[in-house]
Amino acid sequence: MSRVEKHLKEFFTDFDGIFDAKLGRVSLTPMAVDESLGTSSPYLCTVKARYDRTLLRMLDDGMLLAVSNFKSKPDFQCYTLLEVIRFWPVHFGLSAVRDYQYYPIQFEVIEQSVEDWDTDDKTTMMIQLSCIPVNYDIYFEESNLRFVKGFSYPIVGSRVYILNHELIMKMYNQRVLERIGFKQGKTCSDARIDPRLGTIKMFEAIGHKIPFYIDFDTLVRYHFGIFAFTGGGKSNLLSNILRRLLLHNEDVKIIIFDISCEYPFLLMDVFSDPEISSMIIFENEIKNEDEFNNSVVKPRKYEDDGRVREGFRKIFSLNRVSFLRRSRLQTPQFSEFLNDVETLKNENMRNPNYVEALRVIEETVLSYMEENGLREEDPLTEDLVEEIISDAGRIVEEYKIHEKSALYGWFNSRIKMRDYFKISERKRSGISIEDVENAVKAGYRLICFSISEPTTLKQAVIDLTHNILINRKREFTVKPYVLFVFDEAQEFVSAPSNLKGIDKTCSEEVERLLRQGRKYGLGGCVATQRIAYLNTNALQQLHTYFISTLPRPYDRGLISNTFMIDKSILEKTLEFIPGEWLVSSYIATGMENVPIFITADNAEEEIEKYLRKIEKV
């Protein structure tokens, strides 16, 4: 029989009286000396429940509990929210067994406990739960419930309740559903019908599948990260997030940097959809569907599946497969040219007339930029180059620049700048970075760079993120949102301290995108199995994160410190099976920065559904 008060039954449950629990202790946790160990909640709460074997099957990690706190008054009730991080049964007899005791006595107590677990003897057994505060209180005023951020000290000895599945559904989904404009009915895993990412784990044991939704706009605009060890389902989750973004949010365009060459398979149904304009860009030209099939990484069970080949044939027939065309000669920016002039001025400080000659060139460039409303990030124009070439001879003669000096050679070589603007008479095949920028503007919603050569892909990252960010700044455009996806992110945004050359430039460009992009509707997704190698300045820009199994303690410690997640909660991820995730967000979920365990929908189900359709045709 339920012990929940009548006015609380709408929000709390005790599983019809099975969960009879009190708050037993609130203890202070010691501050971590070693930062690599992670962040701990300042309080650890111990809840003691009467033993019931059925209850052990109903409880789950991540459940939210409510216990009365000292803010409560006769006409005003206030509850502190706690999250279960672990639970276990306790036997009084077993607790008293010590290694120094007589062996037959030890064995007798241990053997007797096996029979006790099948009884409902509450005098010798109980269930203990370790919990941490989630920094939210629940206020009840005249039967109205509201959540208030902050921690209030709970009353030790008070009855503890479990938040019921209806309230959990409301907490995590009501605001999100309103923001994404989806009217939730019967939930299902079909990506085209339901935009959910999966189900909340905490009530799965008793048959309640609570869908988990996320605000797509804020997820994209404020960046997110996916962190899991090999085999944790990182690519599976990411492909399902991208699929739902494309199917349920028309204001999002996606650019994937896919060094593993697996997303043409994982998003095969999307690339085959005539309603979604898309493009796959390889490193080299793909001449037929057989080469296409051989260029894509597939799960082992699909490697010899004829349906997959047929799916790739359909994508190829839609002319959605191309290759990256490298620029032979790239026009420098105004900033690069002005930097060259400044360097030459410094080198010729002993010759004042040489410096004055360079200042004339500098003034010509600055005046041209001012008259035409151009910025330093813009490329040089052909008109300006012609003006510089025509002035070069006059300046050399007027300022008496010696014909054997290096500066004389520099002025005479300006005629070579015309090469930047020469257009080849024959049409070149493939896709350039400029073509990709134009495709994004023209309405393409999904572009995937499936290039396994790191240097080539990093250069594409540098050029594309830089150019699109500059263009957005110039236009101050926010929508449509553009999401840049960096799978195997350690290749693109590594810690810059030990980097040089293109690796350092790439990391700095991605960091700049994450720092500045949200103002202009440019988002980033960082997915990796080794978070310890990443640029921490970039990581701190992420507002939403999905975490699965990370075996290395340093990785978990870095996540705990960077995202302020209690290390005890992160330890639970070691028990995850593929497809289970810890999700926390400052902005994109219904409860800000409250970690929650979910079971993600399986992307392979979407692929299998699509392949079955191909089979029937």
Side-chain angles (χ1 to χ4, degrees):
M1 181 178 178
S2 176
R3 298 177 178 82
V4 182
E5 298 173 42
K6 185 176 180 180
H7 68 285
L8 298 177
K9 286 186 176 181
E10 183 182 350
F11 313 107
F12 299 160
T13 183
D14 61 2
F15 298 137
D16 292 326
I18 295 177
F19 183 71
D20 182 9
K22 303 289 178 64
L23 179 63
R25 183 170 65 252
V26 179
S27 55
L28 291 172
T29 56
M31 297 296 292
V33 177
D34 187 351
E35 289 189 359
S36 66
L37 297 176
T39 300
S40 295
S41 169
Y43 298 99
L44 179 64
C45 302
T46 302
V47 173
K48 299 180 182 291
R50 294 188 187 278
Y51 176 77
D52 191 300
R53 185 161 182 161
T54 304
L55 178 60
L56 285 170
R57 295 194 292 267
M58 302 174 81
L59 290 174
D60 205 344
D61 297 323
M63 278 186 167
L64 296 183
L65 310 180
V67 58
S68 183
N69 62 46
F70 285 97
K71 288 185 177 179
S72 295
K73 301 176 184 177
D75 59 341
F76 170 80
Q77 290 181 295
C78 185
Y79 292 83
T80 300
L81 281 186
L82 309 175
E83 183 164 6
V84 177
I85 55 176
R86 63 177 63 88
F87 61 91
W88 65 97
V90 179
H91 190 287
F92 181 79
L94 288 176
S95 301
V97 173
R98 297 291 182 269
D99 289 341
Y100 59 78
Q101 292 175 328
Y102 187 46
Y103 291 159
I105 295 177
Q106 292 187 46
F107 281 113
E108 184 176 349
V109 174
I110 292 170
E111 289 171 359
Q112 179 60 43
S113 69
V114 176
E115 297 178 6
D116 292 343
W117 295 126
D118 288 325
T119 70
D120 59 353
D121 184 0
K122 297 175 174 55
T123 61
T124 58
M125 295 173 294
M126 70 173 180
I127 298 173
Q128 192 155 300
L129 302 91
S130 284
C131 314
I132 59 171
V134 297
N135 296 317
Y136 272 93
D137 287 350
I138 299 180
Y139 286 7
F140 288 101
E141 296 177 281
E142 299 178 356
S143 298
N144 294 321
L145 173 148
R146 62 190 177 96
F147 295 95
V148 178
K149 197 166 181 62
F151 169 75
S152 300
Y153 198 91
I155 301 174
V156 176
S158 294
R159 183 173 296 281
V160 179
Y161 303 104
I162 299 173
L163 272 63
N164 63 29
H165 66 276
E166 290 94 348
L167 182 55
I168 294 296
M169 172 70 188
K170 181 178 179 181
M171 283 171 54
Y172 281 99
N173 293 324
Q174 183 171 330
R175 284 196 304 165
V176 173
L177 289 171
E178 290 172 359
R179 285 185 292 199
I180 66 176
F182 179 72
K183 189 174 182 181
Q184 196 260 330
K186 186 176 181 181
T187 187
C188 68
S189 61
D190 191 319
R192 293 182 178 272
I193 297 174
D194 196 336
R196 76 178 200 187
L197 296 187
T199 54
I200 297 173
K201 274 179 53 62
M202 64 178 71
F203 286 99
E204 286 181 345
I206 58 175
H208 290 299
K209 287 200 170 185
I210 306 172
F212 176 73
Y213 298 94
I214 204 157
D215 183 356
F216 292 131
D217 280 0
T218 52
L219 178 72
V220 170
R221 190 170 178 180
Y222 292 90
H223 319 311
F224 64 101
I226 300 178
F227 311 116
F229 195 61
T230 302
K234 172 170 55 69
S235 299
N236 191 299
L237 172 68
L238 178 53
S239 63
N240 245 346
I241 292 175
L242 300 181
R243 178 179 286 105
R244 282 163 168 79
L245 277 170
L246 291 165
L247 293 174
H248 297 280
N249 192 322
E250 295 182 355
D251 286 331
V252 174
K253 299 181 179 183
I254 298 171
I255 300 173
I256 308 173
F257 298 102
D258 175 24
I259 201 167
S260 300
C261 302
E262 56 186 348
Y263 285 89
F265 172 82
L266 292 171
L267 293 172
M268 179 190 297
D269 55 317
V270 180
F271 284 115
S272 300
D273 190 338
E275 300 297 319
I276 300 176
S277 298
S278 59
M279 181 191 307
I280 303 171
I281 302 171
F282 289 96
E283 183 180 358
N284 299 308
E285 185 175 4
I286 303 296
K287 297 177 181 177
N288 52 55
E289 53 262 31
D290 288 334
E291 290 187 4
F292 182 20
N293 180 62
N294 294 333
S295 300
V296 178
V297 175
K298 301 170 281 293
R300 184 176 299 177
K301 69 177 182 178
Y302 289 106
E303 287 179 348
D304 299 317
D305 194 326
R307 300 174 301 169
V308 174
R309 187 181 297 271
E310 182 60 25
F312 286 147
R313 187 200 64 78
K314 182 176 180 181
I315 297 172
F316 195 82
S317 67
L318 291 171
N319 294 319
R320 295 187 168 185
V321 179
S322 188
F323 67 98
L324 185 63
R325 184 175 77 231
R326 281 86 167 174
S327 298
R328 293 180 178 175
L329 195 61
Q330 191 169 3
T331 307
Q333 298 172 340
F334 283 99
S335 59
E336 296 175 66
F337 185 81
L338 290 171
N339 286 339
D340 288 344
V341 173
E342 190 64 30
T343 300
L344 287 169
K345 283 165 60 179
N346 292 332
E347 291 174 354
N348 290 276
M349 290 302 292
R350 293 178 180 273
N351 298 294
N353 56 322
Y354 287 12
V355 174
E356 287 302 317
L358 289 166
R359 282 178 179 160
V360 172
I361 290 290
E362 186 178 49
E363 183 60 33
T364 298
V365 174
L366 293 174
S367 298
Y368 182 88
M369 290 172 62
E370 185 177 352
E371 291 170 6
N372 293 276
L374 298 171
R375 304 182 184 184
E376 291 191 359
E377 296 87 355
D378 294 322
L380 293 176
T381 65
E382 191 170 5
D383 289 343
L384 176 62
V385 167
E386 291 296 337
E387 186 175 345
I388 292 171
I389 292 171
S390 65
D391 288 348
R394 176 183 59 79
I395 294 172
V396 166
E397 185 176 337
E398 182 177 342
Y399 288 91
K400 311 297 182 186
I401 297 176
H402 197 278
E403 61 182 12
K404 291 186 178 181
S405 68
L407 189 59
Y408 183 89
W410 184 83
F411 272 102
N412 280 346
S413 66
R414 293 308 87 200
I415 195 168
K416 292 183 179 179
M417 294 173 67
R418 285 179 176 151
D419 293 343
Y420 295 126
F421 307 98
K422 287 182 179 179
I423 302 173
S424 176
E425 294 181 1
R426 65 183 181 87
K427 184 178 180 181
R428 298 174 61 199
S429 58
I431 298 292
S432 68
I433 294 298
E434 186 179 356
D435 293 332
V436 174
E437 295 173 38
N438 293 332
V440 172
K441 291 179 182 178
Y444 275 76
R445 298 197 58 212
L446 176 61
I447 297 173
C448 179
F449 286 85
S450 282
I451 297 174
S452 59
E453 209 288 309
T455 302
T456 302
L457 193 54
K458 287 173 185 176
Q459 190 60 55
V461 169
I462 293 168
D463 294 340
L464 203 55
T465 56
H466 177 84
N467 294 350
I468 291 181
L469 179 58
I470 291 300
N471 290 335
R472 281 291 175 103
K473 284 182 176 181
R474 184 180 299 131
E475 301 167 2
F476 201 79
T477 303
V478 174
K479 287 190 176 182
Y481 298 135
V482 179
L483 173 65
F484 294 86
V485 178
F486 304 99
D487 195 19
E488 303 297 341
Q490 69 275 3
E491 295 286 344
F492 309 107
V493 63
S494 296
S497 57
N498 298 322
L499 300 178
K500 58 183 179 180
I502 192 171
D503 296 326
K504 185 178 181 66
T505 304
C506 186
S507 180
E508 290 172 344
E509 285 296 337
V510 175
E511 179 189 337
R512 184 165 74 140
L513 172 77
L514 296 177
R515 281 192 288 104
Q516 302 178 12
R518 70 174 65 98
K519 301 175 186 176
Y520 309 102
L522 303 179
C525 167
V526 173
T528 184
Q529 57 182 296
R530 278 312 310 270
I531 188 173
Y533 293 153
L534 297 191
N535 183 334
T536 53
N537 291 331
L539 282 178
Q540 289 168 353
Q541 308 305 316
L542 308 180
H543 281 57
T544 304
Y545 18 91
F546 300 80
I547 305 158
S548 189
T549 303
L550 291 170
R552 297 179 178 88
Y554 183 80
D555 288 344
R556 297 195 301 275
L558 184 60
I559 287 179
S560 177
N561 291 326
T562 304
F563 304 128
M564 298 304 293
I565 300 178
D566 187 271
K567 63 181 182 180
S568 300
I569 292 181
L570 284 173
E571 294 294 327
K572 297 302 298 180
T573 63
L574 295 174
E575 304 168 15
F576 282 178
I577 61 174
E580 294 182 344
W581 295 87
L582 171 67
V583 184
S584 188
S585 177
Y586 292 109
I587 196 166
T589 55
M591 294 292 287
E592 295 176 6
N593 209 29
V594 176
I596 186 168
F597 300 120
I598 71 165
T599 301
D601 291 331
N602 189 352
E604 286 191 11
E605 291 181 4
E606 297 295 326
I607 298 299
E608 186 61 37
K609 197 183 322 176
Y610 172 71
L611 293 177
R612 284 197 294 268
K613 288 181 181 178
I614 290 178
E615 202 172 20
K616 292 178 182 178
V617 175

